[in-house]
Amino acid sequence: MKKSVILGAMTFAGLAAGAASAGTLDDVKARGKLNCGVTTGLVGFAAPNANGEWEGFDVAVCRAVAAAVLGDSNAVEFVPTTGKTRFTALASGEIDMLARNTTWTFSRDVDLKFEFVGVNYYDGQGFMVPKELGVSSAKELDGATVCIQTGTTTELNLADFFRSNNISYEPVPIETNAEAQQQYLAGACDVYTTDASGLAATRATFDDPSGHVILPEIISKEPLGPLVRHGDHEWGDVVRWSLNALVAAEELGITSANLGEMAAGTENPEINRLLGTEGTLGEMLGLSADWAKNAIAAQGNYGEIFAKNIGEDTPVGLARGLNAQWTEGGLLYAPPFR
Amino acid sequence: MSTLTDPPKEQFRLSMLLYDTRYRSATIQVIAMFGFMLLAAWLINNTIINLNTLGKPVAFKFLGETAGYDINQRLLDYNNQDSHLRAAFLGLLNTLVIAFLGCIAATVIGVLVGVLRLSSNWLVARLMTIYVEMFRNVPVLLWIVLIFAIVTEATPHPKVYRGVETGAMVVTNRGTYIPEPLFSRSLGDIHLFGSSPLRFDVSLDLIAILVVLGLSIFASIKMRQRADHIQETTGDRPKTWHMRTAVIVLPILVLLIALGFHLGYPELKGFNFQGGTHLRNSLIALWLALSLYTAAFIAEIVRAGILAISKGQTEAASALGLRPNRTMSLVILPQALRVIIPPLISNYLNLTKNSSLAIAVGYMDITGTLGGITMNQTGRELECVLMLMLVYLGISLTISAIMNWYNEAVKLKER
């Protein structure tokens, strides 16, 4: 109750504030800082490192937007949100954008009045069980106790999956990934279910990752992406095209290593337009001409961000799979910069 | 002879509202009231306008939509195809369960600790002091989390019981299973409210048991009154205890046999135990933490109540030849109750409101269903929070009303 009242009051105050202010872009520029909502801690996606600096796949999106808007990838205030608090935080204006493994669904886009600006990770819901349980398929989980993060789409998918397979389960609702991990390891639940990428990231932090298997069933489509409030289209465009710039940069072969060289001007007009040596794309967005260059300079292009945070060489160890460029059989496809 | 003249008729003038002390306070109150209502109207208007701008006008239609999520502790039938209103109703029942269990446990522990704290035994009194100070001075959320951690970490995994003969009660890290009452010749259920979200099944077996028990107790009381009457007129008290025990025990025994009463024991099937009554760890942790925490406050209230009765009362009772325990139950406690009841009410209310911390351990109370998942899935923050506030207000006022009625009954009757 206490929390809900605070949230309610925040919504209340935030709505009053939200109506008074004009555009989020102007607000961010005036503030000199981007307020970005992330998870409370999911290794590889968003978690503070040993020095207390936030890093990860979702964090990189925040940093790229901050670099594009403010020219400084460190001008970000990271606001940790739970599955439950994230939408209220965004709707109330406490955060400018949310990059928190959030699934793009119809009702969130339409009914909750948010604007998903794209997909930065194509995911699906999976199940993780201890190897010693000897389970090889999710359909064998009849009667199992399942840990689940409350307030997520996974909660609804789980209910659908068990209902359509006509098997029963006992849900254990949990607030954050860290608590879920603790409960799962303590054996208070047999199964932990969330997005497959989240499972891999969580398993990477276990003492004995090989003692746990991720079951083959992927029971849902989970396109995860950053989102902003509905109605502020200028700001939505900024976030959307900052993300597209990262994806396009990989496609065009712009990396953090050759960025300086490319920014001096190339034979390829699309690279020139993207990096601001040709045309006025930055001006159209209300940003400086080198916005995309700054965004890419922050953490590299999409491929570099992927490899550094969740790629196969990291403890999380995710393959590119669906998240490869369209030219390589994946789903990543940035619209043309022109 | 004197002349009577009417005092000059005072004309009401507008300035009197400010300068006449008879009217001034009323003027100020009216202005303050007006200002307050203006502020409230501005806030409400602002909220409604802003919500409309956002495209989310205040509406409660979402309550009829399919909830789509499951609830682990269900007192009534529910599946994920039921509506959000049904989910909220189940959450409300879970809140009431924890509030009811918590209030009873807190009262029992609180009274015991409060009396023991006054004990002349040094060790007992000091131990109770430590208990009271420890629980009173640490936030209840921490107790809830700590007790939950203890019950999940310190108890065995269900697989430990594989191949082991388990008894009537099993303790696992998912909860404690106790035998459940079953009836092989059950009378069935009454289905109230058809198929609406508030549908409610009442077990006829339970009603039959309660009716028989009520009648037995009534008969027993009548026997006692008759014994009292005989004692008053003749001076001899007839022996009634065997009759009174029989009148309570025999009818219920006959009824239970007629209904085919037996106990269902938990059995390990697949991943978990099936059968029996499953007390989840979230319920146990929340119940223990809330009752222990509130009991610490109740203990202090009870102690204060007992100390408020003057020592002369005890001495007078002893002088009349009453034994110490009779003194306590017949003289001290009835008087102390008058001091105890009013602050006790506010502690019951606190316990009920604190039960909204349930989500910390994943107990699906109304804050977890309506104020948690439903709010999150539908994005109706304002509506959900308003409904939650109404629900808690309703529960609190009901508890207040019941306890005030009880207070009226026990308070000093002045004639």
Side-chain angles (χ1 to χ4, degrees), chain A residues 1 12 19 83-84 112-113 132 142-143 145 150-152 155-156 159 163 169-171 173 183 186-190, chain B residues 47 50 54-55 68 70 72 80-81 148 153 157 159 173-174 271-272 280 356 362 364 367 373 376-379 392:
Chain A
M1 182 66 191
F12 209 75
K84 237 175 99 176
L112 296 194
K113 304 294 173 194
E132 54 174 14
D142 192 11
T145 307
T150 181
T152 60
E155 202 164 32
L156 307 181
R163 185 164 55 91
Y169 72 108
E170 156 102 12
Q183 291 287 306
C189 38
D190 302 303
Chain B
T47 311
N50 284 327
L54 207 65
D70 286 298
N72 47 13
N80 54 49
Q81 294 307 295
F148 185 65
E153 303 279 350
H157 194 278
K159 70 181 175 203
N173 61 2
R174 283 105 193 249
F271 292 94
N272 284 306
R280 285 171 183 77
S356 61
M364 294 312 270
T367 315
I373 306 178
N376 211 277
Q377 304 291 7
T378 62
Y392 280 103

Side-chain angles (χ1 to χ4, degrees), chain A residues 1 109 159 226 238 242 252 281 338:
Chain A
M1 182 66 191
D109 202 336
V238 168
S242 299
L252 296 169
L281 296 187
R338 101 168 22 257

Side-chain angles (χ1 to χ4, degrees), chain B residues 129-150:
Chain B
T129 309
I130 291 173
Y131 161 77
V132 168
E133 295 306 334
M134 260 176 66
F135 274 86
R136 249 186 357 161
N137 296 306
V138 175
V140 65
L141 179 63
L142 298 185
W143 284 117
I144 296 175
V145 173
L146 176 74
I147 295 181
F148 185 65
I150 293 173

Side-chain angles (χ1 to χ4, degrees), chain B residues 120-133:
Chain B
S120 49
N121 183 323
W122 186 87
L123 184 65
V124 169
R126 287 304 172 282
L127 277 178
M128 292 304 131
T129 309
I130 291 173
Y131 161 77
V132 168
E133 295 306 334

Side-chain angles (χ1 to χ4, degrees), chain B residues 173-307:
Chain B
N173 61 2
R174 283 105 193 249
T176 299
Y177 298 81
I178 55 173
E180 60 177 336
L182 294 173
F183 301 97
S184 54
R185 289 181 290 274
S186 174
L187 298 173
D189 294 336
I190 310 179
H191 306 286
L192 297 178
F193 306 121
S195 59
S196 77
L198 300 182
R199 65 183 181 275
F200 204 100
D201 290 350
V202 183
S203 161
L204 277 174
D205 306 319
L206 185 68
I207 292 179
I209 290 172
L210 288 180
V211 166
V212 169
L213 214 55
L215 287 176
S216 305
I217 290 172
F218 179 74
S220 160
I221 290 172
K222 278 279 163 235
M223 280 185 195
R224 195 192 67 202
Q225 282 171 350
R226 189 172 150 270
D228 286 348
H229 184 71
I230 294 173
Q231 185 180 21
E232 270 161 33
T233 47
T234 66
D236 285 329
R237 192 178 179 84
K239 222 180 209 177
T240 57
W241 68 266
H242 48 273
M243 281 299 288
R244 288 178 65 196
T245 314
V247 87
I248 288 185
V249 173
L250 285 180
I252 199 81
L253 217 58
V254 170
L255 178 71
L256 287 180
I257 292 168
L259 290 175
F261 174 82
H262 61 279
L263 289 175
Y265 291 139
E267 261 178 80
L268 187 58
K269 274 186 198 148
F271 292 94
N272 284 306
F273 278 89
Q274 312 286 338
T277 304
H278 184 188
L279 304 176
R280 285 171 183 77
N281 274 340
S282 51
L283 171 75
I284 294 174
L286 192 65
W287 180 21
L288 272 182
L290 285 177
S291 355
L292 288 174
Y293 177 79
T294 313
F297 290 88
I298 294 181
E300 286 299 271
I301 294 169
V302 169
R303 188 171 71 107
I306 293 173
L307 288 179

Side-chain angles (χ1 to χ4, degrees), chain A residues 51-234:
Chain A
N51 302 323
E53 288 160 6
W54 285 87
E55 57 179 31
F57 190 67
D58 283 336
V59 166
V61 176
C62 299
R63 291 202 189 278
V65 173
V69 177
L70 303 164
D72 177 7
S73 65
N74 287 319
V76 191
E77 178 82 34
F78 290 101
V79 180
T81 54
T82 67
K84 237 175 99 176
T85 61
R86 56 185 163 175
F87 295 131
T88 322
L90 182 60
S92 68
E94 189 193 349
I95 54 178
D96 303 311
M97 61 177 281
L98 181 67
R100 192 205 172 277
N101 312 81
T102 302
T103 307
W104 185 352
T105 68
F106 181 93
S107 63
R108 285 175 177 173
D109 202 336
V110 178
D111 193 34
L112 296 194
K113 304 294 173 194
F114 294 125
E115 187 91 11
F116 283 82
V117 299
V119 176
N120 69 336
Y121 192 90
Y122 289 94
D123 210 340
Q125 184 177 346
F127 297 94
M128 175 163 65
V129 293
K131 206 171 242 170
E132 54 174 14
L133 227 50
V135 174
S136 60
S137 159
K139 289 180 182 156
E140 296 166 19
L141 292 176
D142 192 11
T145 307
V146 184
C147 274
I148 178 133
Q149 281 188 62
T150 181
T152 60
T153 47
T154 51
E155 202 164 32
L156 307 181
N157 298 333
L158 181 71
D160 284 349
F161 175 77
F162 277 84
R163 185 164 55 91
S164 57
N165 283 296
N166 206 12
I167 48 181
S168 67
Y169 72 108
E170 156 102 12
V172 178
I174 283 161
E175 191 97 329
T176 65
N177 187 58
E179 283 170 50
Q181 187 176 330
Q182 184 213 336
Q183 291 287 306
Y184 173 74
L185 286 177
C189 38
D190 302 303
V191 191
Y192 178 35
T193 181
T194 186
D195 297 339
S197 63
L199 290 178
T202 306
R203 187 171 64 163
T205 63
F206 289 176
D207 289 338
D208 174 27
S210 61
H212 303 268
V213 285
I214 294 173
L215 298 178
E217 281 90 352
I218 296 294
I219 64 167
S220 67
K221 286 190 289 189
E222 306 281 340
L224 310 178
L227 58 154
V228 297
R229 277 182 297 282
H230 184 85
D232 190 348
H233 300 294
E234 284 75 22

